[in-house]
C-alpha cells in the first residue's frame, strides 16, 4: 500500500500572520505572568530591599522568612496567627461542598435528561433562571433562613450555601452531558431490571468521569476563591483563606509588610493552580465531551 502525500505547495515557515500570532501570544503571556513574577520576587525580598523601589529586580539574596510569617505569624489586627487556620477552614468548607454539589447536580442532570419526570422542563427552566440572578440579591433572605434553622455562622451553613448556589451550573453541565448519551442504553438497562439508582451508579457515573472532573474543578475554584459568602455565612471561627488574606493585607496596625502580603496571596492561590496543572488534561477532555453541547 503506497503512502499518500498532501498536494499543493508547502506552507512557508515564517509568514507575517505567524509572526503576528506569536507576538500576540508572547504579549498575552507577559500580561498574565508579569504580576505573578512581581509577586514571587517581592515575596523573596527583605523589606529594606523592597523600599529601594526596584519592583522587577531579582532579590539580591533569597529570603523565605516572609513565607514563614505569612503561613504562621502574619497579623490580622492584634491577632498574629498567619493564614494557616484559614487554609484548613477553606479545606473544611470546599471539600464537602464540592462533593455534595457534584453528586446532587449529577443526579439532577441524569433525571432531567434521561427520565424526564412531569414538569422537568419547567423545573430546569426555574433552576436556570435562579442561577442567572445575582446571588447578592439572595443574601439577606438566606441570612434570615439560615438564622431560623440555626445554621447561620456555622460550618454546615456555609457548606449548604455553596451547594445551593452551585447547583444551577452543575445541573446544567451534567444535563448537557447526559443528553449526549444514547437513550437506548438507559432503556436496555431498564429492560434488564435495573432501576433509577442502579443505572445511575453502574452506568452513568462511570461514563461521566470527564464531566465529574470538569465540574469538580469549576466548583473547587469557585468555592475556594469565594470571599463574599465566606464573609457573610462562615462565622468568625470558620473564615476561609480569602477572608483572612483580606484581613492580613488591610490590617492597619504596625508596618505594612509587602513581602508577607505577596507570600500570603500566593499561598491562597496555590491550591487551585495546582489542581488545574495536575488535571488540565481531564478538564479539556471533559469540556470537549459535552460541556458545551445544548
Amino acid at each position: 500500500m503506497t503512502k499518500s502525500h498532501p498536494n499543493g505547495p508547502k506552507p512557508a515557515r515564517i509568514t507575517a500572520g505567524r509572526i503576528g500570532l506569536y507576538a500576540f501570544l508572547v504579549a498575552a503571556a507577559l500580561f498574565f505572568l508579569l504580576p505573578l513574577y512581581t509577586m514571587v520576587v517581592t515575596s523573596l525580598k527583605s523589606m529594606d530591599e523592597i523600599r529601594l523601589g526596584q519592583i522587577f529586580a531579582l532579590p539580591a539574596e533569597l529570603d523565605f522568612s516572609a513565607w514563614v510569617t505569612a503561613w504562621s505569624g502574619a497579623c490580622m489586627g492584634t491577632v498574629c496567627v498567619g493564614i494557616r487556620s484559614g487554609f484548613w477552614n477553606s479545606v473544611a468548607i470546599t471539600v464537602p461542598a464540592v462533593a455534595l454539589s457534584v453528586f446532587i447536580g449529577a443526579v439532577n442532570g441524569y433525571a432531567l435528561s434521561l427520565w424526564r419526570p412531569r414538569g422537568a422542563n419547567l423545573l430546569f427552566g426555574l433552576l436556570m433562571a435562579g442561577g442567572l440572578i445575582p446571588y447578592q440579591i439572595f443574601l439577606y433572605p438566606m441570612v434570615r433562613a439560615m438564622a431560623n434553622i440555626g445554621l447561620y455562622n456555622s460550618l454546615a451553613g456555609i457548606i449548604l450555601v455553596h451547594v445551593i448556589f452551585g447547583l444551577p451550573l452543575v445541573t446544567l453541565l451534567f444535563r448537557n452531558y447526559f443528553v449526549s448519551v444514547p437513550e437506548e442504553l438507559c432503556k436496555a438497562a431498564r429492560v434488564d431490571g435495573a432501576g433509577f439508582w442502579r443505572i445511575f451508579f453502574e452506568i452513568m457515573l462511570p461514563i461521566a468521569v470527564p464531566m465529574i472532573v470538569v465540574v469538580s474543578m469549576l466548583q473547587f475554584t469557585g468555592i475556594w476563591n469565594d470571599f463574599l459568602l465566606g464573609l457573610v455565612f462562615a462565622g468568625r471561627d470558620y473564615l476561609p483563606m480569602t477572608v483572612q488574606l483580606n484581613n492580613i493585607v488591610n490590617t492597619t496596625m504596625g508596618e505594612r509588610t509587602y513581602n508577607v502580603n505577596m507570600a500570603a496571596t500566593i499561598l491562597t492561590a496555590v491550591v487551585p493552580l495546582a489542581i488545574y496543572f495536575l488535571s488540565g488534561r481531564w478538564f479539556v477532555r471533559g469540556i470537549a465531551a459535552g460541556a458545551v453541547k445544548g
Side-chain angles (χ1 to χ4, degrees), residues 194-215:
F196 181 91
W197 292 110
R198 186 177 177 188
I199 296 174
F200 176 71
F201 282 111
E202 296 187 6
I203 299 177
M204 295 303 160
L205 273 189
I207 64 177
V209 170
M211 183 52 58
I212 293 174
V213 174
V214 170
V215 172

Side-chain angles (χ1 to χ4, degrees), residues 25-36:
L25 293 176
V26 170
L30 289 176
F31 179 81
F32 288 105
L33 291 178
L34 197 57
L36 178 61

Side-chain angles (χ1 to χ4, degrees), residues 10-285:
K10 188 176 181 179
R13 291 186 176 181
I14 300 178
T15 63
R18 181 166 295 185
I19 293 174
L21 175 62
Y22 283 124
F24 172 78
L25 293 176
V26 170
L30 289 176
F31 179 81
F32 288 105
L33 291 178
L34 197 57
L36 178 61
Y37 167 79
T38 305
M39 293 170 61
V40 172
V41 296
T42 303
S43 69
L44 297 174
K45 294 178 181 176
S46 63
M47 282 304 299
D48 292 334
E49 194 173 355
I50 292 174
R51 292 190 187 95
L52 297 177
Q54 299 174 348
I55 189 172
F56 297 118
L58 291 172
E61 184 177 352
L62 295 180
D63 183 3
F64 292 93
S65 60
W67 289 76
V68 178
T69 304
W71 178 252
S72 59
C75 294
M76 293 166 279
T78 58
V79 180
C80 299
V81 295
I83 208 165
R84 177 177 52 188
S85 61
F87 173 82
W88 293 114
N89 288 341
S90 291
V91 171
I93 294 170
T94 305
V95 172
V98 170
L100 288 174
S101 59
V102 170
F103 176 74
I104 298 173
V107 174
N108 287 346
Y110 161 63
L112 291 173
S113 59
L114 295 176
W115 288 79
R116 298 189 185 92
R118 182 175 298 178
N121 291 333
L122 176 62
L123 291 174
F124 181 68
L126 292 175
L127 190 62
M128 292 302 101
L132 295 175
I133 299 175
Y135 63 82
Q136 289 85 350
I137 296 176
F138 297 107
L139 284 183
Y140 181 68
M142 288 290 288
V143 168
R144 297 295 301 171
M146 288 292 168
N148 288 334
I149 61 177
L151 293 180
Y152 184 61
N153 281 348
S154 68
L155 179 61
I158 182 62
I159 292 173
L160 178 61
V161 168
H162 279 302
V163 171
I164 292 173
F165 283 114
L167 274 183
L169 175 62
V170 176
T171 300
L172 171 66
L173 294 176
F174 273 109
R175 176 189 174 275
N176 290 349
Y177 185 83
F178 286 129
V179 162
S180 63
V181 176
E183 194 171 357
E184 289 73 16
L185 187 63
C186 182
K187 291 180 178 178
R190 295 176 67 179
V191 170
D192 291 338
F196 181 91
W197 292 110
R198 186 177 177 188
I199 296 174
F200 176 71
F201 282 111
E202 296 187 6
I203 299 177
M204 295 303 160
L205 273 189
I207 64 177
V209 170
M211 183 52 58
I212 293 174
V213 174
V214 170
V215 172
S216 298
M217 291 175 64
L218 293 175
Q219 279 291 91
F220 191 96
T221 53
I223 296 173
W224 187 276
N225 294 329
D226 166 69
F227 174 80
L228 182 59
L229 297 179
L231 178 66
V232 175
F233 292 97
R236 183 174 298 178
D237 294 334
Y238 298 101
L239 289 178
M241 210 171 183
T242 50
V243 178
Q244 293 199 353
L245 172 64
N246 174 75
N247 295 340
I248 290 174
V249 172
N250 292 314
T251 187
T252 56
M253 302 188 67
E255 181 186 23
R256 188 173 292 275
T257 51
Y258 296 103
N259 50 356
V260 174
N261 294 345
M262 295 298 179
T265 304
I266 297 172
L267 287 172
T268 304
V270 72
V271 174
L273 284 176
I275 290 177
Y276 266 109
F277 282 126
L278 293 176
S279 55
R281 180 170 59 91
W282 285 91
F283 183 81
V284 174
R285 182 181 301 179

